Structure formats: C-alpha cells, structure tokens
Amino acid sequence: MSRITTKDLSIGYGKHLIVDGLELTIPDSKITCIIGPNGCGKSTILKTIARLLKPSKGAVLLDGKTIHHQSTKSIAQKIAILAQSPHTPEEMTVKDLVSYGRSPYQKGFGQLTNKDWEMIHWALEETNLLEFADRFVHSLSGGQRQRVWIAMALAQDTDILLLDEPTTYLDLAHQLDVLQVLEKLNKKQNKTIVMVLHDLNHASRFSDYLISIRDGKIVKAGEPAEVMTNQVLRDVFDIDAQIVEDPYTKKPACLTYHLL
Amino acid sequence: MKKLVVSTLSLTLFLAACNGENTVDESENDTTEDTVTEENKETTDSESRVLTDGAGQDVDIPENPEAIIASYLEDYLLALDVIPAAQWSISDGEGVQYYLQDDLGDVPTIPYDLPYEAVMEFEPDFIMIRDQPEQDMIDQYNLIAPTYVLNASPTDWRETMREVGTVLDLEDESETVIEDYDARAQETASLVEEQADGESAAAIWMIDTSLFVVHPERSSGAVLYGDAGFEIPAVVDQLSDDADWAAVSLEEVAEMEVDHLFLISDDEESSLTEDRLWQNIPAVQNEAVYTFDSQSAWLYYGPIANEQVLDFIDGSLQ
Amino acid sequence: MTDTDDLSPFKDRVFKRSLYFFFFLLFLLLILTVISLGSGHLSLSPGDIWQTVTGSGTEAHQLLLFQFRLPRIILAVLVGIGMATAGALFQGVTQNGLADPGIIGIHTGSGFFVVLFLYLVSLSQDQPPWWANIGLPFVAFVGGITAAILIYVLAWKEGVTPIRLVLVGIGINAGFSAAILLVQLRMSESDFNRAIIWLSGSIWNASWATVLRLLPWILLFVPLALYKARILSVMQLGEEMAVGLGTAVEKERIKLLIIGVALSAASVSVAGGVAFVGLVAPHLARRLVGGKFQRMIPVSAVIGAILIVLSDSIARTVLAPSEIPVGLIVSVIGAPYFIYLLITIKE
C-alpha cells in the first residue's frame, strides 16, 4: 500500500490537457525519479502531487484521501516540497530560513519552541550547514544554498519530500553533494523522496524507482534497470543510447547517445 | 553599532539646539505668564453670561475679558475700541492686515491657523473664532480659554458686527458703529448721485496677469454697490459665484463697459493695461481708473475697512 | 538529537541581537519623547517637566504638557506605528520593497473618501453629527480598500511585477489627488485650507480625542499583524513554497491586505497624508534585524514612531510659532530614500 497514488489524474486547462488519465503509485521509503523530455509534464505532475496545482479531473490520494480536500497545513506536516527556483528573501540568515520549515506546526505568534530548535539544529547538522547557521543565505554558493532549502524541508519533519530539479544550476560536484545528502536521508530516515531530474545518469544512480514520462503519459515505470534501456529511452527521448553498467554503482548508465 | 550611537547623539544635540533657540525668545513672555493664570481663575469665579455659539455650544462669556484673541475679527474689535491680545498674520508674521496697522501696530502677531501653543503664549481669557473649525479643535481651545465660534456669516459684516457686540456685551456700541457707518455711507452716496448718477463701477483685483472681480454683495463690493450706489455691471452679476473675488477674463472686463474702475494692483505697469481691449474700456478712456495697492482696505471686511473704501471712493471722484 | 540545554547558545544569537536593537530603539524613542515634550513654541525646561509630572508645576505648564504636548506625541507614536506596520505588511504581501501605502495611493484613496465625507457632511447639516469624527477611520478604510482593489485590478497582468505595481500605484495616487482637488474646489475657503493642511500630513491639532479615535485601531490591528507575521515571512519564499509550507496563500493575502489597509487608513484619518514612513521604516528594520517579519515588524513599528516624533519635533520648532506639516518633514527624509531604492532595485 503506497501513501501517494493518483487516480485518473488529468491536469490542464479546458481541452488542452497536459496530463490525461494518469495512474501513478509512488513507492514508500524509496527514492523515485521522474524523467522525460522538456514539456512532457513531469514538473506539472510533481506540483499536482504537492497540491500546488489543481487537477482538472481525477485525484491525488494521500493515505487514501483526496489531497485537494485536505487542509493545506495538515498536508504540510506530511509532504515537503522544494520548488525549482525558490525566491530567497534578502537579509535572511540560514537559521531564519530553515526555521520556516517549522511553520506547519506553528500556532499563535510563531515563537519557536524547543522542539522547533531541535529540529532546526538537526536539519542543519544533516546538511552540514551548522557552521553557516548565522550567515546570510545570499552570501552562500549555489550548492550551499540548495542544501539550505533541503534543510528547510527537513525541518518540516515530513515523511515525504518532493523536489523539482534540485540540481539545476549547480556544478558537477555540488550536484552530487546534494543528491548524496538526499540519499543519506532516504537511507537513514526512511524518507520517501520524489524528484524531477534532468540528468539520466543521476536519476538512474540515485533512484530506486524511475518513472519515464512522455506527453503526460507513463512510458515505463520500474527499477532503473527496467527503465534505463535503449528501447525506453528511444520511446521517451527519441535517442539511440548506449547503456552500460556504471563501474562504481553497478547501475545502468548512458555512456553516449545520438539522435534518431 | 558605533554609527548608531553617534547618530543618536547628533540627533539629540540637534533637537536640543532647536530647543535652545526658543528658550531665548520665550524668556520675554515668561514674566506675564503667571499673573494671567491667576486672572483666569478670577474670571471663572465671577458671574458670566451664557451664549450659544455657531458650533451649537453654550459658551460662558467672561465679563470684561482683557486678553482677547479674535483672529481676522480685529476690524470689528477696533471699531468697538477693543484692542486684541494678538493679531492675525500669515507667513510667519510677515503678512498682516496693513490697513489696520495704525491701531494694531503694537499688537503682536499670531499665525492665522492659531496653533495651540501660540494661543497659549498670549494667555487669552477669551477666544473668538470666525470660521467654524473641527469640534476637536474647539475643545482644545476651550481648555485654554472660553471659545466662541461666530454664528454670523463671515460675508455679512453688519451681522458679524452685531454678534461681536453682543458677545462682548457692547451691543449699544456696535449699533452706534453701524449707524455711524450708514451715516458716513450716505455722504458718499450723495456724492456718487451728484457726480456719477447712474454710472457703473467695478473693483478689479489684478495679480500678475490674473483678474478678479469683487462679489456685488461682499467685502468692498457691498460698499461699492450697496452703500455708495454705483450700478452693477451685468457681467459682475452673472459671474458672482460663491467666492468673494471671482476670476474674470480681460474680455469679460471689457464687456462690462464700466464707467469707473477701481483697480487693486501692486504693479505699476502690466501687459494687460497695454491691451487694446483694456484701452477700449470706457473708464480707461475717461481716465476714471483709480489704482490702489492690495494691502489697502478693498480686500477686507468690517466697518473700518468699509469706511476706508468709502474714503477711497470720495477721493477718486473728487 | 541534541540536548535542549546545548541548544540555547545556538538559538539565542539572532534573537538576542534583535531584542537588543528593539530595546535600543525603544530607548531612543523614549529620549526623543522627552526632548519633544520640552520642545515647542513655549519653553519647558527638564525641571519644569519634572515638576509638572510630579504634580507641583504651574497650571499653565500642566495644561501645556498634559493637554497639548502629550496627546500630540502619543498620536505621533501611534501614527508612526500604524504607518510603519502597514508599510511592512504591504511590502510583504506584494513582495515589493517599494509598496508604501503612501506612495501607491492607499493614503490618497483614504484621503479622498475622508474629504468627500467631510464635504457631504458639511452640505447636509449645519452641525456635523456626533459620529462624524469616530466614523472617519471607517470612511478612510473604505477608501483605502477601494484604492487597493483598483491598483490590483489595473496592475494585474499575469501577476504583478514590483515596478508595475508602483507605477500603477503612483497613477492611482495622482488620480485620487485630482479627485480630492475637485472636491476641495467646491468647499468653502476655510474648509479648503483645512483640507490642504490635513492632506499634507499634520498632527498639530492633536488632542486626547484624536488619540482615542486611533488607539482602538492600533490596539486591534497591530497585534493581528504580529499574529500574521510568520505567514508573511513564509510568503516571501514565493507562492509555491508558501503553499508547500502549509499556507493558504490566497486567503491569507486578502486578510493581510485588509489589516494593512486598516492600519494605514486609520492613521491617515487622523494625521493626513504622511508618505514614506511605510517605506523607510520597514527597510531600515530589515537592515537591522533581517527579513523575518516576527522580528522586523516590531522594530519597524518603533522606527516609524521615532520618525514621526522626530519629524514632528522639527515641524513645530523650526518655524515656531508657525508649524510645518509633519508630512513635509517626513518627505524631506523619505523622498531621497525612495529614489535611492528606485535606482538600486533589482528586477
């Protein structure tokens, strides 16, 4: 039984549907990656799962109940979402920003409780940011900044974490750094992680479950070995890919490709 | 942090300096301060009359008030031989009612909008107000001294004169002022009848190239037409709106075809008077244009202003 | 997980610093208040003030201090708090550092309704009804809401960019100013003059009555603003993140705008069109304690109070006994700041 499923999910405006009748199941406590070409609807699907977008038909079910009928605050205690390029307010310290992750639990004037501080401290620790706690977010590098956002999502203390292209705009080392932080969270905390990734090899390497999308429809979903095949990539991306086994991770990897 | 402390200090110093400046010019008034406060008490003890004022409130009128502030009502007070404690002024005391300065020369000025502390400075025992202010303000003035807002329309000087007389318990005197004025006006009326029977006149106020004509029933207009008996040009009647002085174009002035033009202007020469339209006005052709400066009585209200206007008319016709 | 006791140095650092700033500013405000009590056309030495406060001063000093200066300073403080808090709310909701209710036409919207109301009251009856004064903040509120709706409708083009909002706001401001002038032209001369003074921002005719008229609005809406501060903070991360963090963005935005308009309108209804406080105070506050609204709003409110008390002290001393409208003094400080922000704004 999965906590997140979609039922006959359609998203779009009027007759122009981006996603039509999607049936999706997100495995619990696993890392799931959604891949697909630009404009295939993968971000749209992720946002709809996070109740940021309203479906035109069907539903996203969280613990068996339609997500759009639940209070946004109670969902925020179960699902954390990191948008693609969130806006960093000026004059904001790392600690301040991470503390926002506690908002779903706050009442009244929003003073932080000891429990809140523990969670903030822990989130910074997990993301190796303790030494930057009092620095301004603006003064950090792109990779560090992304870790701050992840720390905020961690402070939200949810079982499910959704991320929309968390590695975009980062250099190679920082991409890996961010993904390893997420991997650690999945292994240590059993968090369910769903993300949209552009890089196929990263998707294959870090995910337990891959969903490939084209034109709003699932082409193939399953373990990386089932999805990272010449045939699937042909169907999804119109490419002829050379799939090899990654000598480090033993996962399938795309060595090279050319257009069809 | 250091910056903050420094700026705080300089702020404090700056304000302290502002303070200091005032202490100097205030020290002169300090002597009068205490004595009047005691007088204040006495007046409240003595019997007083109660009148309902223009704000609808019953005001205890003190007997024989000694320090009266009646801004812009100085004309009426002087007509009753009452010298106010302070006189109306604008622009930080630069602008006053010049036509009254023979009598008001020694009276200190107060800003026209009557700031509370400026009023307090004079320790008035009675305040009279011409235009109705907000109730809040009347309440505050009342804390300083009994405050009476006139019922009379400011555009009706006789009504205002009578009310001021009643309030100051000088009813007979105010009647005498009006009677004396009417007698004086009769002289001018006879002169006009004699020298300019059936002729028209207008008072035009010229500021740069803007022209204004006086309302036929207000200020010097009431004197010109009501008392002296000049004919009202048709255009003046049409123009008269709710303003004491209505804006008027050169064409309209020309259309009036007035026989006598009382021109209120501070400029010796104006491009307007060169205009052919202006040159064709009957008054200009007959050399019946009389010029007065804008500080003269023409722009004001009250028995003294009006009498001075009568003098101007007499002087112009002779 | 770390032990709670070990956390105290970790969590206290930022909080302590803000608290320190807050109390420092509060202390500054107190000093200014005392200086302001002593300054004005009539002189009052610190000794006089002390004697008067302890009850052994002269009657004249008591009158001056308790009936004229004190209500005026308290009004200045309240107006400063109201306008600065409103400014912080507007800047937060629109995510736009230039959105000062005084600049984008909320104040003039309120002003127009107030002037119109006063004009209509003066037409219909000889005596204004007893509720006219108490009603003013409500009338101003309706005007402010009208302006806010107009700005949003006109500035909306698949979202509202900061510059577009400010430009439309300045347009709305000009429109309402023209409308005010139209009403003013129909007023009697004395009403006209009074409207001019009121519109340029003035608290010189403050009394306990005006203080009491504004106080309930401040007491109700400033705590509400503080209550909503954490939501405002989260909204700074963008709409998607805010929803993700459990905020009902659409609903909250409207509530926050209503609180902001209420504070700005009530302040305007007693003090007239004082602009730039809502711009400058939140900006300085952000520089001092960061962009978290829970800390920023209280600091901003105190800075707003300082700004008005200081400006008012200047307004009534430089040309004494004549007074300069306090709004003009604030503008002298605020306008250059606004231009500086306009030049440095990042799109």
Side-chain angles (χ1 to χ4, degrees), chain C residues 144-210:
Chain C
I145 290 285
T146 309
I149 292 171
L150 269 176
I151 294 165
Y152 238 90
V153 168
L154 292 177
W156 186 267
K157 200 175 169 190
E158 290 162 21
V160 181
T161 66
I163 288 289
R164 199 177 153 80
L165 182 97
V166 168
L167 289 180
V168 169
I170 289 173
I172 296 279
N173 200 16
F176 274 119
S177 299
I180 288 173
L181 196 64
L182 279 179
V183 178
Q184 276 182 294
L185 288 175
R186 313 191 127 264
M187 290 179 154
S188 70
E189 196 185 341
S190 60
D191 284 344
F192 181 91
N193 286 334
R194 214 179 308 138
I196 295 249
I197 295 168
W198 180 78
L199 286 169
S200 42
S202 164
I203 54 168
W204 76 264
N205 53 1
S207 63
W208 287 116
T210 23

Side-chain angles (χ1 to χ4, degrees), chain A residues 47 51-52 72 76 81 83 87 91 95-97 99-100 103-104 106 108 110 114 117-118 121 134 152 156, chain C residues 2 4 7 10-11 13-14 95 223 227 230 233-234 236-237 240-241 243-246 286 290-292 295:
Chain A
K47 282 181 190 170
R51 54 84 172 80
L52 300 182
T72 182
I81 165 90
H87 177 248
E91 271 113 27
K95 209 190 273 175
D96 277 347
L97 190 53
S99 75
Y100 290 175
S103 352
Q106 285 187 315
N114 279 333
W117 282 113
E118 276 170 29
H121 190 271
D134 289 309
M152 189 186 91
Q156 211 173 324
Chain C
T2 332
T4 319
L7 278 171
F10 167 76
K11 66 183 182 191
R13 224 171 297 156
V14 192
Q95 282 180 260
Y227 181 73
R230 60 188 173 84
S233 291
V234 170
Q236 304 315 299
L237 308 181
E240 289 186 352
M241 291 303 292
V243 174
L245 287 166
R286 192 172 301 141
K292 203 168 172 176
R295 291 198 295 266

Side-chain angles (χ1 to χ4, degrees), chain B residues 1-8, chain C residues 17 20-21 24-25 288:
Chain B
M1 201 55 243
K2 209 172 167 190
K3 264 192 206 162
L4 260 178
V5 175
V6 172
S7 50
T8 320
Chain C
R17 211 174 66 119
Y20 171 72
F21 272 119
F24 173 76
L25 290 168
L288 290 178

Side-chain angles (χ1 to χ4, degrees), chain B residues 104-135:
Chain B
L104 286 179
D106 298 330
V107 175
T109 59
I110 190 166
Y112 73 98
D113 53 355
L114 299 180
Y116 298 139
E117 291 195 15
V119 174
M120 281 192 87
E121 181 191 351
F122 294 105
E123 315 247 333
D125 43 21
F126 187 51
I127 302 170
M128 233 191 291
I129 293 181
R130 193 184 77 132
D131 301 306
Q132 193 175 340
E134 291 162 43
Q135 188 56 46

